[in-house]
Amino acid sequence: RAVVLFVLGMIAGGHLLSLQWDKFYFFNNVLEYIAIGYLCCALLVLNTGPKAHYAVTGGLLLLVWAIYLFIPAPGWQGDRYSQEMNIGIYLDRVLLGPHGHPFKGYWTAVLNTIGQTSNMLLGVLVGQIVFGDRPKLQKARLLFISGAALLLGGMAWGLFFPSLRSNMTSSYVLQACGISTLLLALFYLLIDFKGWSRWAFFFVVFGANSIAIYMMAHLFKFNLIGDIFVGGLCRFFRPNVGNFIQAVAAMAVMWSIMYYMYRKRTFIKI
């Protein structure tokens, strides 16, 4: 499963199918990070208990912090978080050469994998709350408390360890996971506890075939299909409004395809 996800990521964003080595990238899509993080999480969950999950998650967060704090990029005298050069960029150049990613200093690949994995491990910990034996209302409360603690912890850490998405710093991971957990708590309270689920059907259709719609969005230009229906209408609006209408039409086309698959009980899984 991890290998398939990694290959799909290289197809979606790494230009694998173009068969041009000079334009190929190993880390140009979130699926590569998910593949590696999933493999690490699966091995940990299948072979260890909850205490080890907490220990490894905290260890990875501290590891990223320690690397940026104590290991500057060799030969670089500037800011250790600079987009021109930092330890993450240095590792990418040494290990991946020109095939890491096309984002130059705006993103790092190898070192980011540690932050991404800790992000997913926090998801494992939150999942243990959701699938535990507590009453639903107690689960929702614990999710709210956990989300607030993660968010506040990330903000406090960010005072001396910058919250940088491009570097997946530990403070950013905590803040992002905190916001996500708070949203999960809200949706869990509304849908699982209160039973208010009809409003979410639009999103369920996408989520039921998430990997399919993700790959389709990367491989096909649905905006051109949507333009067939709204291209004439868009001419009467300002460019930014017209682009928004075109994007909504493209999403409507994608949702219609997913809805057809949903009705036919066709679900693509990995």
Side-chain angles (χ1 to χ4, degrees):
R1 184 177 291 177
V3 171
V4 172
L5 284 171
F6 199 93
V7 172
L8 289 177
M10 291 190 294
I11 292 174
H15 310 295
L16 180 63
L17 297 183
S18 68
L19 302 180
Q20 299 181 59
W21 180 244
D22 61 320
K23 296 182 179 180
F24 171 74
Y25 302 102
F26 286 105
F27 287 87
N28 191 27
N29 192 275
V30 71
L31 289 182
E32 288 97 335
Y33 295 104
I34 292 177
I36 297 175
Y38 165 78
L39 180 61
C40 295
C41 291
L43 292 174
L44 188 66
V45 170
L46 293 174
N47 295 283
T48 63
K51 291 183 179 179
H53 306 165
Y54 282 96
V56 174
T57 303
L60 291 179
L61 292 169
L62 291 172
L63 176 61
V64 173
W65 168 73
I67 290 175
Y68 276 104
L69 181 63
F70 298 111
I71 310 177
W76 177 251
Q77 303 298 323
D79 182 12
R80 65 180 65 246
Y81 306 109
S82 171
Q83 294 181 343
E84 296 180 28
M85 176 56 66
N86 57 56
I87 186 59
I89 298 173
Y90 177 81
L91 289 174
D92 286 352
R93 292 181 179 179
V94 171
L95 299 175
L96 302 176
H99 303 291
H101 49 77
F103 303 118
K104 309 303 180 184
Y106 294 97
W107 194 262
T108 58
V110 176
L111 192 52
N112 274 23
T113 305
I114 302 176
Q116 294 280 1
T117 302
S118 64
N119 188 321
M120 296 181 68
L121 282 171
L122 284 169
V124 170
L125 300 179
V126 170
Q128 292 172 356
I129 298 175
V130 174
F131 295 102
D133 297 327
R134 298 179 179 87
K136 291 183 177 180
L137 183 58
Q138 187 176 349
K139 289 181 183 179
R141 290 173 178 169
L142 188 54
L143 287 172
F144 275 115
I145 294 172
S146 300
L150 288 170
L151 179 58
L152 293 175
M155 293 173 65
W157 204 351
L159 296 176
F160 54 92
F161 185 32
S163 176
L164 301 173
R165 177 176 178 269
S166 59
N167 298 74
M168 284 301 292
T169 56
S170 303
S171 54
Y172 170 80
V173 170
L174 290 182
Q175 291 180 47
C177 289
I179 294 172
S180 299
T181 304
L182 287 172
L183 290 173
L184 175 62
L186 175 62
F187 295 139
Y188 185 87
L189 182 65
L190 294 177
I191 297 174
D192 292 81
F193 181 70
K194 294 289 188 180
W196 300 340
S197 59
R198 290 186 179 182
W199 64 272
F201 179 72
F202 175 85
F203 305 102
V204 171
V205 170
F206 275 133
N209 264 308
S210 55
I211 191 67
I213 190 60
Y214 185 84
M215 292 302 297
M216 289 168 60
H218 278 77
L219 297 178
F220 305 105
K221 295 185 179 297
F222 283 97
N223 60 318
L224 299 181
I225 301 176
D227 195 51
I228 296 175
F229 301 98
V230 299
L233 177 65
C234 291
R235 293 188 295 105
F236 297 99
F237 296 91
R238 293 176 298 177
N240 57 339
V241 177
N243 291 338
F244 176 76
I245 295 174
Q246 188 183 59
V248 171
M251 184 178 65
V253 172
M254 290 188 286
W255 189 88
S256 299
I257 297 173
M258 293 298 102
Y259 178 70
Y260 176 81
M261 295 176 66
Y262 184 86
R263 289 292 301 272
K264 295 296 183 180
R265 312 303 294 175
T266 302
F267 306 112
I268 299 176
K269 300 180 180 179
I270 298 176

